[in-house]
Amino acid sequence: MKVLFVAGYVSDKKLIPFSKIITGYGYMVKDIAVAVRGNGVEVDVFTQKCFTSGGYITGIRILPRSWGLLFRYLKTNDIVNGLKAAGKVDGVKHKLKQILYYLSLGYFRRIVYKGNYDVIHFHGITWDLKPLIDFCDELDTNYVVTLHGLNSFDEGVKIADDLRLLERDFLTQSYLKNKKVTCISTGVRDRVLQHLNCDKSTDNFNVVLNGTHDVSGLQSRIEVRKLYSIPEDSFVFCCVGNISARKNQIQLVRAYRLLPQEWKRKVYILFLGNDKSGSQIINEIGSFGDHLILCGDVKRSDVHSYYSQSNFNILASISEGFGLSIIEGFMHGLPTLCFNDIDIIPDIYCDKVMLPINERTDQALMDGVINMTKRSWDRVSIKKYAQQFSLQSTSLKYINLYKELYNRQI
């Protein structure tokens, strides 16, 4: 079987330009592609937001994308449709991007016609992918779209009104046309079905949970506590993710400030990720910088060291379609502290591996931090629990879906 992955981008430190776009989405798309290939499927990847000369990442082929290729296969009608699409969005920069996305359509047609793919797997529904999905509809080819979260229903996600309408219209049309859509958590699927006012028995919206790597056998390359002068008897919370309003790390800072002095001395929080807050979190941390530590963009190969030498994982996101750091923490035997209203809770909750917070207040978050340190957690049991969220399991579910789509058409 041969599958074409289509995404805005993937993340990989070894391949330019993907080394400059490091996000959970980018890593997840790449990881799924690699895992699917590992189960005997040939995988090509086309990225719509990056110009690249192409190459290979762990056996998956990244297709090239350049101005030359775009203009070689460009059709006049694509330019016209791009101009029409640009008229529906605001901002000069956004309009120019719209035109560019349609300029890619001729080259994408060439890829699909020549590639002889059994299934096309889109990752997300955004303006850059819409013209490509529309083409697959016209061609009536097999495709599936994975929603790596929902943008138009989350107050914590700041998006333009046109993108909000795009996502909602896509969901409606997918339901009416009975197109296959996967959601990365039950919470995401439930919100989709609620929006569409349709029964939960509908089978064109399926849940395929994200997965993560098995870390058994990995060795720590960094002595984290020594690096940051953290006493061995302290409680270390690991918070992974680019610092932003949606990830809500700033509330962790406020909650830390409320801790009784005894816990302030004992608790350290390590923030792993680029600061997208405009230094707002630095100003908020202030004099607590020796206990609230901004570690910056940690290499993916080194994140293991941080998880393995921490006591707890913590996630304070306002909204989260999945929350990859939760299962990454589980793989390292770390219990997670998070709010109880994120989408993944129905799929992942077990009182032996996590402590959900029922209220989104600073006080409740502070209490959660203290309660995590008071409970006894079994890291071995947490690691065993984590095995159900492996990339192997995720890839097999996608492959079964590909086979279903293929058999439906023949």
Side-chain angles (χ1 to χ4, degrees):
M1 180 172 285
K2 190 176 182 183
V3 177
L4 175 65
F5 272 45
V6 185
Y9 58 91
V10 295
S11 295
D12 190 276
K13 287 284 189 178
K14 298 178 181 178
L15 191 63
I16 297 174
F18 305 121
S19 61
K20 300 177 181 179
I21 314 175
I22 303 300
T23 67
Y25 162 87
Y27 276 133
M28 196 71 251
V29 173
K30 185 195 75 171
D31 286 346
I32 294 171
V34 171
V36 166
R37 177 192 174 275
N39 281 292
V41 176
E42 185 179 349
V43 179
D44 290 347
V45 178
F46 177 76
T47 57
Q48 176 73 317
K49 287 187 176 182
C50 296
F51 287 107
T52 172
S53 58
Y56 284 84
I57 301 176
T58 322
I60 59 173
R61 182 169 66 136
I62 306 296
L63 299 176
R65 181 173 179 267
S66 65
W67 284 112
L69 289 168
L70 265 55
F71 285 119
R72 184 184 305 173
Y73 301 106
L74 181 62
K75 292 187 177 180
T76 303
N77 196 46
D78 296 332
I79 300 175
V80 173
N81 289 332
L83 292 170
K84 289 180 180 179
K88 298 178 183 179
V89 300
D90 297 325
V92 175
K93 186 176 181 180
H94 198 176
K95 290 178 183 294
L96 291 174
K97 284 184 176 181
Q98 280 294 93
I99 296 171
L100 174 59
Y101 298 149
Y102 276 84
L103 295 184
S104 298
L105 191 49
Y107 176 46
F108 181 73
R109 287 194 196 95
R110 171 82 174 182
I111 290 171
V112 173
Y113 288 144
K114 293 293 184 180
N116 194 29
Y117 298 102
D118 297 299
V119 176
I120 299 175
H121 188 167
F122 291 95
H123 290 269
I125 172 61
T126 45
W127 282 117
D128 55 306
L129 300 183
K130 183 180 186 300
L132 312 185
I133 294 174
D134 288 345
F135 164 68
C136 289
D137 271 329
E138 294 171 8
L139 192 63
D140 196 28
T141 190
N142 283 329
Y143 75 85
V144 59
V145 178
T146 291
L147 298 176
H148 289 267
L150 289 173
N151 293 320
S152 63
F153 300 93
D154 288 333
E155 294 181 4
V157 179
K158 304 299 181 183
I159 61 170
D161 290 340
D162 55 78
L163 184 55
R164 193 179 306 276
L165 291 173
L166 170 68
E167 183 177 81
R168 296 189 179 197
D169 181 65
F170 166 78
L171 295 173
T172 300
Q173 294 303 315
S174 295
Y175 177 59
L176 295 175
K177 297 175 183 178
N178 196 33
K179 295 296 183 179
K180 276 293 182 184
V181 177
T182 70
C183 306
I184 58 173
S185 66
T186 295
V188 169
R189 182 178 187 269
D190 286 348
R191 285 195 289 159
V192 168
L193 298 185
Q194 183 178 6
H195 167 69
L196 296 173
N197 194 28
C198 60
D199 192 88
K200 288 189 176 183
S201 63
T202 182
D203 65 353
N204 61 311
F205 291 93
N206 304 119
V207 174
V208 179
L209 300 180
N210 284 339
T212 191
H213 297 278
D214 184 356
V215 298
S216 58
L218 291 181
Q219 300 295 318
S220 292
R221 304 196 305 178
I222 299 174
E223 294 185 57
V224 175
R225 290 182 183 246
K226 183 177 180 180
L227 179 63
Y228 297 108
S229 301
I230 301 173
E232 288 300 320
D233 61 349
S234 298
F235 298 114
V236 177
F237 286 78
C238 191
C239 181
V240 178
N242 289 332
I243 296 168
S244 65
R246 183 176 68 84
K247 290 292 186 178
N248 196 33
Q249 291 95 336
I250 202 161
Q251 189 176 11
L252 283 176
V253 178
R254 298 199 305 266
Y256 176 86
R257 284 180 170 177
L258 295 177
L259 285 171
Q261 206 56 42
E262 177 187 357
W263 268 273
K264 276 195 177 82
R265 289 193 298 267
K266 292 181 177 179
V267 170
Y268 287 76
I269 304 178
L270 304 179
F271 297 95
L272 280 65
N274 288 315
D275 185 0
K276 306 288 187 179
S277 71
S279 298
Q280 183 182 4
I281 195 167
I282 295 176
N283 298 329
E284 193 74 22
I285 287 173
S287 62
F288 297 110
D290 56 338
H291 280 249
L292 303 173
I293 302 170
L294 299 177
C295 304
D297 180 21
V298 177
K299 291 181 181 179
R300 201 181 192 199
S301 57
D302 290 333
V303 172
H304 163 73
S305 298
Y306 287 79
Y307 278 128
S308 62
Q309 295 171 53
S310 297
N311 302 100
F312 314 103
N313 183 51
I314 189 166
L315 181 73
S317 297
I318 292 173
S319 65
E320 198 70 64
F322 187 83
L324 184 60
S325 66
I326 296 177
I327 60 173
E328 288 178 341
F330 289 170
M331 284 289 183
H332 291 83
L334 291 188
T336 290
L337 177 68
C338 64
F339 291 108
N340 72 344
D341 57 358
I342 59 174
D343 288 325
I344 193 60
I345 291 292
D347 304 293
I348 210 167
Y349 175 71
C350 172
D351 64 358
K352 294 181 180 180
V353 300
M354 65 192 311
L355 179 62
I357 308 168
N358 298 326
E359 298 179 12
R360 282 191 167 271
T361 64
D362 296 351
Q363 182 68 40
L365 185 53
M366 184 215 75
D367 291 338
V369 169
I370 294 175
N371 290 334
M372 288 290 283
T373 68
K374 288 183 175 181
R375 280 187 57 175
S376 177
W377 302 93
D378 185 346
R379 293 185 76 137
V380 174
S381 296
I382 295 173
K383 289 179 181 179
K384 289 180 180 178
Y385 183 81
Q387 294 307 309
Q388 62 189 297
F389 306 109
S390 68
L391 279 167
Q392 172 75 356
S393 174
T394 299
S395 66
L396 290 176
K397 289 176 182 176
Y398 278 122
I399 291 170
N400 287 336
L401 182 57
Y402 301 155
K403 291 177 179 177
E404 177 188 337
L405 287 168
Y406 179 78
N407 291 332
R408 180 193 291 182
Q409 195 168 55
I410 60 176

